[in-house]
Amino acid sequence: MKGEYQRPPVRVALMGLGRSMFTEHYPVFKAHPALFKIVAACDLLKERRDIIAEDFPDCKMFRRFSDMLDERDIDIVDIATCSVDHVQHALMSLERGFWTLLETPIALTVDDAQVLRGAAQKAKNRLLVLQRGLFAPDFLLAKQEMSDTRLGDIYEIKVRSEDFIRRDDWQTVKRLGGGAAYYAMTDLILQTLKLLPLPPIQMWSELRRIASLGDAEDCAHVNLKTRGAVSADIEFNGGVLPGDRGPSFVIRGTRGTFKVAPGASEGVVTAIDPAFSFPRRRSSVRTPELLDMHEEVPVKTFDVSLAKGTLHGPSAFWKHVYDTVRTAAPFPLSLEDSLEAVKFAHLMKKTSPFGK
C-alpha cells in the first residue's frame, strides 16, 4: 500500500486485543497511518490496552464493548474476539451502523450465520470478513493455473495447510468454539470452492486431535466431489513435522500437474510436452503380448509465477478494506461466500463424533 490516497484515514476501533489482533491486524495499522488510525480499543486486560496507548496516545480505551460503541468518531470496528462471541459482537456493531470487520469463523452454526446475514443486510451490507486465504499468493497462483492448458483436463485438486504446534489456547477448547474446522478450514474450504468448476454435491470428512493440548481437533480432512470430473481433497493438520510438509496446492490433469509451496508466488508445472500427441490406438480384448505396455512420453518442467501486478497478501486485503469504507468500492469477497464456508465447517463438526 502506498501513500497516494487523498482521503482521510479510516478510523478504527479494536475489539479483542489477542494474538490475532497483534500479529495480523495491528502491524498494518501501525505501518500505514495515512490509511488507518486507531481511535478506540477494548479489552479486559489493561496491559493489552497499554500496548495500544504507547503507539496511539490519543486512542480511547474501554473495558466494555458497549461503551466503546457509544463513541461516534469511528468508521469501522475490527472484531477479533473469541469465536463464540463473534456473532454477538458483530450484531452489536452492525446495529450501531458501523462498518464491521469480523475474524473467521463468522459463526459456529448455520442458524447464527443466517442471523448475522440478516443484520448485515439491514446495516447496508457493512459487514466485511477477514478470509485471508483468498488473498494468499499460492492460492491466487493456483487459481491462475486452473486455466493452464498444459495440464489437460483437470480431475483433482489438493489443498493443504500443515504445521506442528502443541497449542494450548482457547482455540483448542470445544466449548469456546475452538478446533481446526473453524479456525483453519473455513479459509481452505473457501479457497477450494473458488477453484472448483462446479459446486460440490458430496462431502466426506473426519476430525482428529494429534498435537494440541485441548479437547478440540487440530486436524480436519475433507473430500468434496462435484457433478463433473473434478474432486477436491482438503486438509489442515497441526501435527506435521517440518521436514514432512508438502505443497499447499496440487492440481492434477490428464497431461500434467501443478504444485506450489505454502505462501509462494512461484510454482512448477510438470507436464507432457505440449507439442507431443499420442499415437492412435485402441484397447483390445485379445490376450495381451508379454511386453511392457509403458510408452515413452516426453515430459517437461515449466516454472510458473503469479501474473505481474497481482495484489496479494495482507496488503491486498487491507487496501480493499480502505477502498470499500472510504470510496464505496465493491469488496471482493461476498458475505455469501463466507456463509458457504461456515456451512461446511458446521457440517464437519455436526457429523464427526470427535467434533461434538
Side-chain angles (χ1 to χ4, degrees):
M1 288 182 289
K2 298 180 180 180
E4 72 270 17
Y5 293 92
Q6 300 300 317
R7 296 174 183 269
V10 171
R11 299 168 298 180
V12 184
L14 309 180
M15 177 55 188
L17 306 180
R19 185 184 296 114
S20 176
M21 181 65 76
F22 280 113
T23 59
E24 298 194 36
H25 303 227
Y26 191 61
V28 175
F29 303 144
K30 283 185 62 177
H32 301 283
L35 303 184
F36 299 100
K37 179 181 180 181
I38 299 177
V39 296
C42 179
D43 197 275
L44 291 174
L45 299 179
K46 182 179 183 301
E47 56 266 30
R48 300 285 178 89
R49 303 195 301 268
D50 288 344
I51 296 174
I52 307 295
E54 289 182 9
D55 296 319
F56 297 89
D58 296 331
C59 176
K60 297 181 179 179
M61 302 298 171
F62 300 88
R63 294 185 75 256
R64 288 164 47 91
F65 189 38
S66 58
D67 291 340
M68 184 173 72
L69 294 180
D70 286 337
E71 295 293 315
R72 301 313 306 168
D73 296 330
I74 295 171
D75 295 311
I76 189 167
V77 178
D78 184 6
I79 300 172
T81 52
C82 190
S83 293
V84 293
D85 297 323
H86 280 185
V87 172
Q88 176 190 357
H89 289 155
L91 289 175
M92 292 172 65
S93 176
L94 291 169
E95 287 171 358
R96 300 294 185 96
F98 294 122
W99 282 98
T100 302
L101 177 65
L102 187 57
E103 264 283 1
T104 55
I106 62 172
L108 302 181
T109 69
V110 175
D111 288 344
D112 283 348
Q114 292 297 342
V115 170
L116 194 55
R117 177 176 179 266
Q121 291 176 336
K122 188 176 180 180
K124 300 179 181 179
N125 297 314
R126 291 191 171 187
L127 178 61
L128 309 180
V129 182
L130 180 49
Q131 299 278 183
R132 51 185 60 79
L134 293 190
F135 301 90
D138 49 352
F139 161 72
L140 293 173
L141 180 56
K143 188 176 180 182
Q144 176 182 300
E145 286 304 299
M146 286 293 292
S147 59
D148 193 330
T149 57
R150 292 172 295 190
L151 298 178
D153 295 328
I154 293 170
Y155 63 86
E156 183 182 61
I157 299 168
K158 289 189 176 182
V159 181
R160 293 288 184 272
S161 179
E162 298 170 329
D163 198 358
F164 186 89
I165 179 171
R166 297 179 70 242
R167 194 167 185 165
D168 63 356
D169 63 351
W170 64 264
Q171 285 281 24
T172 69
V173 180
K174 290 181 181 179
R175 65 181 177 82
L176 296 178
Y182 286 133
Y183 70 70
M185 287 300 284
T186 54
D187 251 8
L188 301 187
I189 289 289
L190 191 49
Q191 288 176 330
T192 305
L193 295 177
K194 291 295 185 180
L195 294 178
L196 287 173
L198 292 170
I201 59 170
Q202 291 182 338
M203 169 183 160
W204 168 90
S205 68
E206 66 174 351
L207 304 178
R208 297 178 179 179
R209 185 177 66 83
I210 299 175
S212 72
L213 304 183
D215 63 347
E217 77 282 350
D218 63 350
C219 178
H221 187 191
V222 178
N223 189 274
L224 301 177
K225 294 186 181 296
T226 69
R227 290 189 182 277
V230 185
S231 65
D233 192 75
I234 313 115
E235 183 178 79
F236 173 85
N237 193 331
V240 181
L241 297 175
D244 192 32
R245 297 172 193 166
S248 54
F249 292 90
V250 177
I251 300 173
R252 287 199 171 106
T254 53
R255 291 185 66 93
T257 300
F258 160 77
K259 295 181 180 180
V260 62
S265 58
E266 298 178 345
V268 174
V269 168
T270 304
I272 298 170
D273 187 342
F276 173 77
S277 296
F278 286 100
R280 287 178 173 272
R281 75 188 226 199
R282 297 184 301 174
S283 62
S284 174
V285 296
R286 293 180 296 180
T287 301
E289 297 183 18
L290 300 178
L291 298 173
D292 187 349
M293 296 182 66
H294 289 88
E295 301 171 89
E296 288 291 333
V297 180
V299 176
K300 289 190 173 184
T301 299
F302 306 91
D303 293 329
V304 293
S305 60
L306 197 57
K308 188 175 181 180
T310 303
L311 292 177
H312 60 80
S315 60
F317 171 79
W318 291 104
K319 178 183 183 300
H320 286 302
V321 171
Y322 178 90
D323 289 342
T324 298
V325 174
R326 275 287 174 256
T327 70
F331 197 62
L333 170 65
S334 74
L335 183 57
E336 298 302 318
D337 289 334
S338 295
L339 292 175
E340 193 69 13
V342 169
K343 290 178 184 178
F344 281 98
H346 185 213
L347 190 57
M348 281 181 245
K349 286 281 197 177
K350 188 176 179 180
T351 58
S352 171
F354 192 86
K356 299 176 181 178

